[in-house]
Amino acid sequence: MANVSVKTLQDLKEQGEKFCCITAYDATFSRLISEAGAETMLVGDSLGMVLQGHESTVPVTIDDMAYHTASVARGNRGAMIMADMPFMSYATAEQAMVNATSLMQAGAQMVKMEGGTWLSGTIEKLVERGIPVCAHLGLTPQSVNVFGGYRVQGRTPKGAKSILADAVEIQDAGASLLVLECVPSELATDISEKLTIPVIGIGAGPGTDAQVLVMHDMLGLAEHNARFVENFMAGADSIQEALAAFVAAVKSGAYPRPEQAYS
Ligand code: KIV
C-alpha cells in the first residue's frame, strides 16, 4: 500500500469510497493491520483497558501513548497513524502543543482529542503549527465519569443538535477527521453528509465515511461486546484473514449491518 496521508482520506471521501481504521498498540499488529489494507491505525487510549486492564481510559499517560505510538510506527507498512491524546493532556492549548509534539515525534501523523466547541481554539493552534487533528464526539470515553457510564449519545433532539453544532465547529477550526462514537445512525449519517471532512464511525451505523473498531473486539477477545462489535475471527483461519475480512466488509459496506446500529 502506498503511504496513506490525510489527502488520501479526503480523496476517498470525495470519491464516495469507504475506508478503514483499526486500533494498534505494538509493532507486530501494526505490520499485520497495515498489510491487511487498513488505511489508518489508531493508537487508541483504549490501551488503558485492553492492554493495561484499567476500567477506563482515564489512567493512561502521555508517556504510555508515546511508547505505544513509537512501537506502532516501527511496524507500520504505509497506513496513516493517529494517536490519542490521553485524559487531561490537552486541557489547555499550551499543554496540547507540548503533548501533541511528543506523539508526532514518536511517529504519529495526526493526534486525536475528545471534545467539540471548547477544543476549537486548540485545534486551530495545533493545525497552524503543523499538527493535523482528528476530533472525537458522541460517546467520548474520557468523560465516562461525567456520563455516568458508556451510554449512547445524541438521542434527544437537543443532544443531536449539540453534536452536529460541535462537528461543524471543529471542522471550521481545521480538524481533518472526526470520530463519532455511539450515536444514532441517522444523526451520524446526517453529520457525515454535512461535513466535508471524513467521518469515522464506531457504533454510529453504516452511513459514515469510514469505520473503526478496537482490535481486541474485532478479533473476538473481549469479555463483553457492544451491539456494534463483530467478531471477524469467526470463520477466519488466521488473524491476518480476520483483519482482511474486516477491511473488506467496511469497504463493501457489509459492515456494519443495520441491526448493529443505534436508533
Ligand atoms: O481509544 C480508542 O480506541 C478509540 C476508539 C474507540 C475510537 O478512541
Side-chain angles (χ1 to χ4, degrees):
M1 180 167 63
N3 285 352
V4 174
S5 70
V6 65
K7 174 157 187 334
T8 318
L9 305 180
Q10 188 63 46
D11 289 347
L12 289 172
K13 168 149 184 157
E14 282 160 26
Q15 290 152 14
E17 276 186 50
K18 304 252 183 208
F19 64 88
C20 194
C21 180
I22 304 175
T23 64
Y25 315 99
D26 68 25
T28 299
F29 277 102
S30 167
R31 177 172 57 76
L32 296 183
I33 292 168
S34 52
E35 284 177 350
E39 285 84 356
T40 56
M41 290 188 284
L42 171 65
V43 187
D45 60 355
S46 49
L47 68 84
M49 299 170 84
V50 297
L51 300 190
Q52 298 174 333
H54 293 296
E55 292 278 309
S56 77
T57 58
V58 170
V60 176
T61 66
I62 192 70
D63 289 346
D64 294 334
M65 292 309 303
Y67 173 88
H68 287 282
T69 300
S71 306
V72 168
R74 287 191 282 267
N76 185 20
R77 301 289 186 268
M80 197 194 79
I81 299 174
M82 284 194 274
D84 261 333
M85 295 277 278
F87 182 66
M88 280 295 150
S89 66
Y90 50 101
T92 66
E94 290 65 34
Q95 284 175 311
M97 216 97 72
V98 172
N99 290 319
T101 302
S102 301
L103 299 186
M104 296 297 283
Q105 290 183 333
Q109 285 138 302
M110 182 177 291
V111 297
K112 177 163 84 56
M113 297 183 289
E114 299 180 6
T117 307
W118 72 270
L119 255 188
S120 55
T122 300
I123 295 173
E124 269 172 26
K125 287 199 173 74
L126 291 182
V127 173
E128 260 171 24
R129 285 158 178 79
I131 301 182
V133 172
C134 174
H136 185 156
L137 295 172
L139 171 52
T140 45
Q142 290 170 15
S143 299
V144 62
N145 294 306
V146 174
F147 296 141
Y150 296 98
R151 299 172 195 288
V152 178
Q153 301 295 307
R155 274 188 154 147
T156 62
K158 188 171 166 224
K161 205 171 148 200
S162 148
I163 295 174
L164 172 60
D166 279 347
V168 171
E169 185 147 351
I170 62 94
Q171 171 174 277
D172 291 348
S176 302
L177 289 179
L178 170 65
V179 165
L180 265 185
E181 178 164 355
C182 290
V183 298
S185 189
E186 205 181 317
L187 173 64
T189 303
D190 185 36
I191 292 175
S192 306
E193 285 170 1
K194 287 203 166 98
L195 295 195
T196 55
I197 59 171
V199 176
I200 305 177
I202 172 163
T208 54
D209 306 301
Q211 299 290 331
V212 57
L213 280 179
V214 170
M215 182 190 74
H216 293 62
D217 293 346
M218 47 93 37
L219 293 181
L221 301 174
E223 263 182 306
H224 310 288
N225 279 321
R227 167 198 302 209
F228 59 83
V229 171
E230 183 162 326
N231 174 8
F232 284 87
M233 273 309 284
D237 286 333
S238 64
I239 286 173
Q240 285 91 329
E241 248 186 63
L243 294 169
F246 175 61
V247 172
V250 169
K251 286 178 184 293
S252 70
Y255 175 83
R257 297 188 304 278
E259 67 271 21
Q260 293 170 316
Y262 299 104
S263 51

